Amino acid sequence: MWDYTDKVKEYFFNPRNAGLLEDANAVGEVGAIACGDALKLMLKVDPGTERIEDAKFQTFGCGSAIASSSALTELVKGKTLDEALKLTNADIAEFLGGLPPEKMHCSVMGYEALQAAVANFRGEEWKDDHEEGALICKCFGVDEHMLETAIRVNKLTTLEMVTFYTKAGGSCATCVEGIEGVLAKTNAQMVEEGLIAKDQAFVAGKGEAGNVKRKPQVKPAVELSDDFIQLEVFNDEMRAPPPKLTMVQKVKLVEEAIGEMRPTLKRDGGDCELIDIDGDRVLVKLTGACSNCQLSSLTVSGIQERLAAKTKLPLRVVPVAA
Amino acid sequence: MPAAQTSPAASPARPVYLDNNATTRVDPAVVEAMLPYFTEQFGNPSSMHAFGAKVGGAIKDARGRLQQLLGAQHDHEIVFTSGGTESNNSALLSALEALPDRNEIVTSAVEHPAILAVCEYLAKTRGVKVHVIGVDKAGRLDLEAYRKALSDKVAIVSLMWANNETGTINPIPELAEMAKEAGALFHTDAVQAVGKIPLDVKATAVDMLSLSGHKFHGPKGIGALYIKRGVRFKPLLKGGHQERGRRAGTENTPGIIGLGKASEIALARLATDAPRVSRLRDRLEKGLLQRIGNAFVTGDPTSRLPNTANVAFEFIEGEAILLLLNRAGIAASSGSACTSGSLEPSHVMRAMDIPYTAAHGAIRFSFSHENTDEDVDQVLAAMPGVIEKLRELSPFWSKQAASGTAAFNPTYA
C-alpha cells in the first residue's frame, strides 16, 4: 500500500474546505484518465481586487487526490489570482510533505483545476494540451507520450539522449527497458516517415549492455530548438533574451542561489553542492537525504526553479553521481 | 499500508479480515506440521542417509494429500513449484515447446497477470499468436469467440477456473472438452478455486492445473502444477532430478509439508465450510445493497465462488473506500486503479465493461472459514458511513443527487 505522509492522511481523513461553494464565481472542472480522478474546484473571487476569498472542492478519487484538492484550497485562499497562478503542482506536493511518485499526478490535477478555474473567472476557455500515457519513469514522472514527443521533436536516437532531454531513466534506471521500447518504436515510425535515416534509428538490444549507470556525457547532436521539450515551464519573464553574463558571473550567481537553499536542504538532512556548469546545464551533487529521496525530482525541480528565478537564465539542473 | 493505520489501537473493534483471495492466514495446524522440517528433519530427501529418508516419505505423503484435494488419478501427476505464477509460466512455456507445430495460445481477458503477461511476452519475443477471449458484463466467457479461436494451430488453451476479483466460475470441464476436440492442451489457473470448491480433475479433460498454497491457509512460496499422466512436459527450471526431472531444485520441504497439511484440512472442511461461508457472503451482499443506494454486485451470481463478493459503489473511488474501511478495522480490496502501483484500472472490470465511475468504486470482500457473523455485522455498520462521507466529497454524486443524472462534465487531461 501507499506510503502516505501523516499530512496526506490528515487531509484525507479530515479534508478542509470540502463541499459545494454556493456563490462561487470561478469554477474549474478537470479529470485525469490515468487514475479515473476528477476534481471540481470552486472559488469566490472579489472582482475588484481579484483576491480569492473562499475556496471549496469536490473530488472523485483516491486518498491522495482528495488530500491534494484540499491542500490546494488551503494554498489559494487569500491569494490574488495572479499569486495563485504561480503555484505549481510541486507546491501542493510540498504542502503535503510529499507524495509517492505514482501519485504526483494527483497534485497535477489540482494545478490544472486552478488554471481552469481562473480561466473560467476571466471568461477564457481553458484547454489542457497535456495527454497522459503510461508512466514509464516513476522517479521523474515521465510518461510514454512525453517521451514520444521528446524523441520526435528532438530526433533522439539513443537512450543517453532521451535521459538528457527528459530525465527519464536518470535515477534508479529500472525503467531503461521501457524507455528503450518507446525509443525503438518511435524511431521505427520516424524512419518510415523519412524523418531519420534507417541506420540512425535505435534498435533495442543493439546498444552496449550494462552502460545504463553512466551519466549522459555527450551533448545532443541536435541543437536545442524552440519546441525543445522541457519538463519545467518557465514564465514569460524567463523567455525574454537571457542577460549576457560572463562565466564567472554566472557561477557566482548560481553559487549564491544554491547557498540560499542549502539551509532548507540541510534541515531535511540533505545538501546540494555545485560541481560544474556546462552551457545551460548546472551539474549538482545531491547528498544525504536528498540523493535517494523519492522526491529528489522535486528537489531538483525546486532548485532549478529558484536558480532560474534568480539568474533569469534558462538553466537546467542535472544531478550527478557523488 | 500506511504504518500509522496498521496499529490495532486505531481500530475500534476486532480487525475484520475480508481479503482472503489475496492471501490467507496459515492454519496453526499447518505451522505445527511444518516446524520439525526446519529443525530435526532438515535432511535433503535426495540423500542416501537417514537424515533424508524420513523427509522423502513425508513429501510423498503431502503429495498424496494434494492429489486427494484435486481428485487426481495419480500422485505423480503433482509437481511442486514455488506457487501459482511459476506453475502458470511452466505450463504455457512447456506447451509451446512440446507442440512445435502449433504457435497459438487461447486465453481470456480476465486472466491473472501471471498468464496475461506471459502471453504478451511470448507474442512479443516468439511471435506467438494469442487469442484473448472476451467476457460479458457478468464476466462470463464468450463461448462463440472461444469456439472460433480453436484450431489445429492452438498449442494450449489457458482459462482460469475462478476469477480472483469477482469469483465468477468458468465451466472448465466443458471448455476443456472443446480444447481437446481441437487437439490443443488445456491448462487452468485454479489458484482461486482449489480448496474453495470441490474438484475432481481426473473426471475432466484438464491437462494442467496451477494452484498456490497460501490461498487456502497454506504457506506462501509453495504451489503445484498438476500435469495429467501422459501429457508431454518440458520443465521450466533445468537442473537436478527432483520432481521426476520436471522441476529442478532441492525440495522446499517445510512448504511441501505445509501444503499437504493445508490440503488435508481443506478437503475435510470443504463440505461444511462452503455453505457456511456462502451464507455469510450473501448476508453481507444483501445487507450492503439494502443500506446503500447506487451499488450493485459484479460477476455472475449464478456461478461463482462461495467466498467472494464484489460490490461496485457508484461515484466514489476504491482506494478512498479502503483507507476509510481500514481505519474502521476492516480489510478488503479494490479493482480501483489507485490501489495498485501500476495505476492501471482493473483489467477485469474493464473487460466486463463496467462504467468507470462504478469500476473505480468496486470493492472485493473475500471470506474464509475464519470469518463470522460478527465480521459481517461490523462491515454493515461501517460501510454506509464510509460511502456517505465519500459521496459528499464527490462532484459526480452531488450532480446526480440534484438532477437525477450525472451532469458533472470535467475536462479530461
Side-chain angles (χ1 to χ4, degrees), chain A residues 201-232:
Chain A
F202 177 84
V203 180
K206 228 176 78 176
E208 318 152 49
N211 67 348
V212 294
K213 275 200 157 167
R214 210 170 74 212
K215 293 285 165 188
Q217 313 238 324
V218 292
K219 291 195 88 180
V222 195
E223 279 302 306
L224 303 189
S225 57
D226 283 336
D227 35 16
F228 166 55
I229 300 301
Q230 271 183 310
L231 298 180
E232 296 76 22

Side-chain angles (χ1 to χ4, degrees), chain B residues 44-230:
Chain B
N44 190 325
S46 302
S47 304
M48 284 311 296
H49 47 67
F51 290 93
K54 272 197 180 164
V55 177
I59 288 180
K60 185 171 166 50
D61 185 52
R63 205 184 300 276
R65 304 280 181 206
L66 182 53
Q67 175 202 347
Q68 283 173 19
L69 180 64
L70 300 180
Q73 188 82 51
H74 310 281
D75 69 350
H76 58 72
E77 292 173 324
I78 310 275
V79 174
F80 290 115
T81 67
S82 65
T85 296
E86 184 191 323
S87 297
N88 285 342
N89 273 266
S90 305
L92 294 184
L93 290 163
S94 165
L96 289 171
E97 217 180 306
L99 300 173
D101 297 340
R102 295 170 175 247
N103 195 33
E104 293 183 13
I105 298 177
V106 177
T107 187
S108 87
V110 295
E111 296 297 313
H112 192 272
I115 290 292
L116 290 177
V118 182
C119 288
E120 201 180 305
Y121 168 78
L122 289 170
K124 213 165 142 187
T125 59
R126 300 199 194 168
V128 172
K129 184 171 174 191
V130 180
H131 303 266
V132 180
I133 310 300
V135 296
D136 67 8
K137 282 188 198 300
R140 290 172 299 214
L141 196 74
D142 181 344
L143 286 180
E144 204 36 55
Y146 175 49
R147 200 185 308 275
K148 280 187 187 149
L150 291 170
S151 75
D152 60 3
K153 288 265 155 270
V154 176
I156 186 168
V157 173
S158 180
L159 296 168
M160 66 199 336
W161 205 308
N163 183 265
N164 50 315
E165 286 188 32
T166 62
T168 300
I169 294 174
N170 273 323
I172 290 300
E174 289 83 349
L175 298 172
E177 289 296 340
M178 288 164 72
K180 287 292 98 182
E181 282 165 30
L185 286 168
F186 188 90
H187 166 256
T188 180
D189 174 354
V191 162
Q192 293 294 345
V194 173
K196 291 178 188 152
I197 53 173
L199 300 177
D200 190 20
V201 77
K202 65 177 171 298
T204 69
V206 168
D207 293 306
M208 290 186 273
L209 176 151
S210 302
L211 66 98
S212 175
H214 74 99
K215 303 289 188 186
F216 59 104
H217 305 282
K220 292 161 182 67
I222 187 76
L225 180 64
Y226 159 88
I227 307 164
K228 195 184 273 300
R229 184 173 171 270

Side-chain angles (χ1 to χ4, degrees), chain A residues 11 35 37 50 68 74 78 97 100 160 179 197 231 235 238 244 257-258 260 268-269 293 298 302 319:
Chain A
Y11 273 75
C35 209
D37 287 348
E50 286 207 335
S68 296
E74 290 282 274
E160 215 169 46
I179 299 171
L231 298 180
N235 63 34
M238 292 168 206
K244 283 262 179 269
I258 289 179
E260 283 169 18
D268 294 332
C293 171
L298 265 190

Side-chain angles (χ1 to χ4, degrees), chain B residues 318-338:
Chain B
E319 183 197 296
I321 300 173
L322 294 183
L323 289 172
L324 289 174
L325 279 180
N326 186 54
R327 198 167 63 154
I330 298 163
S333 79
S334 160
S336 147
C338 288

Side-chain angles (χ1 to χ4, degrees), chain A residues 33-191:
Chain A
I33 285 282
C35 209
D37 287 348
L39 162 59
K40 179 176 182 177
L41 176 68
M42 293 152 279
L43 306 175
K44 192 180 156 201
V45 182
D46 181 321
T49 61
E50 286 207 335
R51 197 165 287 282
I52 298 168
E53 293 175 332
D54 202 359
K56 285 201 166 200
F57 77 93
Q58 286 183 308
T59 294
F60 168 87
C62 58
S64 58
I66 288 169
S68 296
S69 309
S70 183
L72 170 69
T73 56
E74 290 282 274
L75 281 167
V76 299
K77 269 209 239 175
K79 288 197 165 67
T80 65
L81 292 186
D82 284 334
E83 285 164 357
L85 282 175
K86 288 201 184 109
L87 290 172
T88 66
N89 71 304
D91 293 316
I92 298 173
E94 200 175 310
F95 179 88
L96 291 169
L99 287 170
E102 291 90 341
K103 295 286 190 173
M104 282 302 288
H105 66 270
C106 292
S107 62
V108 174
M109 184 167 76
Y111 166 81
E112 289 171 345
L114 178 62
Q115 307 284 320
V118 173
N120 169 263
F121 176 81
R122 291 178 172 165
E124 298 156 2
E125 198 193 338
W126 180 79
K127 255 203 147 76
D128 182 54
D129 53 358
H130 159 238
E131 276 177 54
E132 222 169 328
L135 193 64
I136 304 274
C137 170
K138 288 179 179 166
C139 297
F140 293 115
V142 183
D143 66 34
E144 187 170 354
H145 180 79
M146 213 184 272
L147 283 180
E148 277 171 12
T149 313
I151 292 167
R152 279 187 167 272
V153 171
N154 305 294
K155 297 201 168 103
L156 307 183
T157 53
T158 65
L159 178 65
E160 215 169 46
M161 278 158 70
V162 174
T163 304
F164 183 89
Y165 273 78
T166 65
K167 297 187 195 169
S171 183
C172 74
T174 54
C175 62
V176 159
E177 280 190 39
I179 299 171
E180 288 186 334
V182 177
L183 182 59
K185 194 182 78 186
T186 311
N187 274 186
Q189 287 166 359
M190 290 162 74
V191 170

